[in-house]
Amino acid sequence: MRWRDDLSDRPGVFNRALPVLAGMLAYAEQLGHRPSGSNPCRRTPRYRRVPQRALSFGGEYRSLGAVLASLAVERTAG
């Protein structure tokens, strides 16, 4: 919990690192380096995050489509 609290100003870092640590500890259990069921990550809550809205401005998709179309034409012509 101290590790979680130390990352309170960077909750995304903690939320992404927790499953990695949990996987490592689960593997250590499989290898017999830790007692079965001793993974503390199972009881460690993640930080709640407000979902970020993807940015999309009016002409972005049209511009992207035009660029992709011109690249496709260049590839077929060249």
Side-chain angles (χ1 to χ4, degrees), residues 2 7 9 13 20 25 27 34-37 40 44 49 60 70 72:
R2 189 173 4 173
L7 287 171
D9 59 331
V13 171
V20 175
L25 293 173
Y27 186 55
R34 292 184 60 85
S36 182
T44 305
R49 303 276 319 257
E60 282 184 354
S70 68

Side-chain angles (χ1 to χ4, degrees), residues 2-78:
R2 189 173 4 173
W3 173 55
R4 180 184 188 272
D5 294 343
D6 287 345
L7 287 171
S8 64
D9 59 331
R10 300 174 66 200
V13 171
F14 176 80
N15 286 349
R16 288 187 301 275
L18 185 64
V20 175
L21 179 61
M24 291 170 35
L25 293 173
Y27 186 55
E29 286 180 11
Q30 290 175 0
L31 295 176
H33 298 297
R34 292 184 60 85
S36 182
S38 68
N39 192 340
C41 294
R42 210 171 295 161
R43 296 178 300 275
T44 305
R46 292 185 184 193
Y47 284 103
R48 291 184 183 210
R49 303 276 319 257
V50 176
Q52 298 291 321
R53 182 173 106 31
L55 296 178
S56 63
F57 300 104
E60 282 184 354
Y61 291 117
R62 282 188 294 279
S63 298
L64 178 60
V67 169
L68 293 175
S70 68
L71 289 174
V73 169
E74 287 177 19
R75 285 189 176 206
T76 57

